[in-house]
Amino acid sequence: TDLWNWVKNILNGVSDRRNMSIMLQDAQHNDVIRWNVKNAWPCRWSGPVLHAGSSDIAIESVEICHEGLELA
């Protein structure tokens, strides 16, 4: 629920920028590469389109804006 609460803060006008890291992992869940992100905030969220007669998976996406990105 941390991610959802962060998105809700931004939607409610609360300035809530955070430093974060994004890690790419291999099939065995070992870190392959890491990006450190400075002063990030969720700037776009899109929810799934649900169709009652479909068995498609539901996908949500969150776009993160930031003030700095570095390869660690």
Side-chain angles (χ1 to χ4, degrees), residues 4 9 13 15 18 22-25 29-30 32-33 39 51-53 55-57 60 68:
W4 178 245
N9 279 345
S15 178
R18 302 179 185 189
I22 301 169
M23 282 87 59
L24 175 67
Q25 296 183 330
H29 302 288
N30 299 310
V32 175
I33 196 164
N39 293 325
H51 299 286
S55 62
D56 291 344
I57 60 171
E60 289 180 277

Side-chain angles (χ1 to χ4, degrees), residues 6 17-22 34-41 64-72:
W6 188 28
R17 296 187 182 200
R18 302 179 185 189
N19 295 329
M20 59 187 289
S21 295
I22 301 169
R34 177 187 187 111
W35 296 271
N36 292 324
V37 184
K38 296 180 183 176
N39 293 325
W41 69 97
I64 303 293
C65 293
H66 60 86
E67 294 179 349
L69 178 71
E70 64 181 31
L71 185 60

